[in-house]
Each structure stands twice: as structure tokens, then as C-alpha cells.
Amino acid sequence: MDWDSIFRNGGEAALGPAAIYTALAAIGLNIQFGYTGLLNFGQAAFAAAGAYGLAVAVTTYGLSFWTGVFLGLFASVILALLLGFPTLRLRADYLAIVTIAASEIVRLTVRSVRFTSTLGGTDGLQNFTGRFFEISPLHGSEYGFW
């Protein structure tokens, strides 16, 4: 048995980026559903708004990474305001329906043929990692946890 590979893969699964993303999504759901009792399926829409705000700023418009971070945050806040005010009084299943619809609208907009030149369509945005790795505190080829 290759114990080194077993422990390395187990460590990456427990501490890697996929585990961090899943933990953040679980914390968000726990806050919304656990503390308030509201079922919100809009986390994907907010994550997509932030991620595409950052990626479009860096790849399409050539802005700096940190400017892209603030534009991604701004895009998520704008989406939150657009969804928040009309749905402020909704309870139970109605909030879930609205947030599912918002997530689908964001998904269909991002994947539409009309915005392929800006958002990448179904292929997504390419060549985004170069500038991200330039600001990384890790040097050389050490981009992982191991």
C-alpha cells in the first residue's frame, strides 16, 4: 500500500479548497436556516456574482486583483439589495422559490451566448490564475497545501 498517497489525498480532501468551499456554504446555510428558519437557495447566485465580478475585472478588463475583489463584493451586494428589498416580508416556501429563481437567472445569464465575449459562456473565463499566483505568498511551484 502506498501510505504516503493515502495520507496526502486524505489531507487534501480534509484541508483542501473543496473542503473550505463546502464549509463556507454549510456555515452560510446554518446561519440562514438554523438561526432564522428561512430556507434560502440563493448562495450559488451570490457566489457566482462575486466570482464573476472578480474574474471579469481581472481577465476581461485587465484590472488588478484587489480591484476585482472589491468589484466582486460590490456585485454581490447589489444582487443582495435587488433580492432583499422585494423579498423582505416573504416567509416559508416563497423565499425559497424566489431564491431558486434568482440562482437560475444568474446561471442562465452567465451561460448565455449573448455574454460569451465577457463572461465566457459555458466554458467560463480562462487564463485567470496567472495574476492570482503572482500575488500568492507561496513561491515557485508550491501552490498547494503539501
Side-chain angles (χ1 to χ4, degrees), residues 6-129:
I6 291 171
F7 286 121
R8 180 180 301 249
N9 291 338
E12 284 183 20
L15 301 173
I20 294 169
Y21 303 148
T22 306
L24 285 173
I27 290 169
L29 285 171
N30 184 29
I31 289 172
Q32 287 224 325
F33 189 65
Y35 291 121
T36 64
L38 298 174
L39 186 56
N40 179 5
F41 292 110
Q43 281 88 0
F46 295 114
Y52 272 96
L54 168 63
V56 167
V58 172
T59 59
T60 306
Y61 298 113
L63 300 174
S64 71
F65 178 79
W66 295 108
T67 304
V69 167
F70 290 116
L71 287 175
L73 287 171
F74 182 72
S76 293
V77 166
I78 293 298
L79 180 63
L81 291 174
L82 286 173
L83 271 179
F85 287 126
T87 62
L88 195 58
R89 301 267 182 196
L90 293 180
R91 295 282 182 241
D93 296 337
Y94 300 109
L95 180 67
I97 292 168
V98 170
T99 56
I100 286 173
S103 292
E104 283 297 305
I105 290 169
V106 169
R107 182 185 68 87
L108 292 173
T109 302
V110 166
R111 294 184 65 181
S112 71
V113 176
R114 183 175 188 155
F115 300 115
T116 300
S117 62
T118 306
L119 301 175
T122 57
D123 293 333
L125 292 170
Q126 307 295 321
N127 300 324
F128 174 65
T129 57

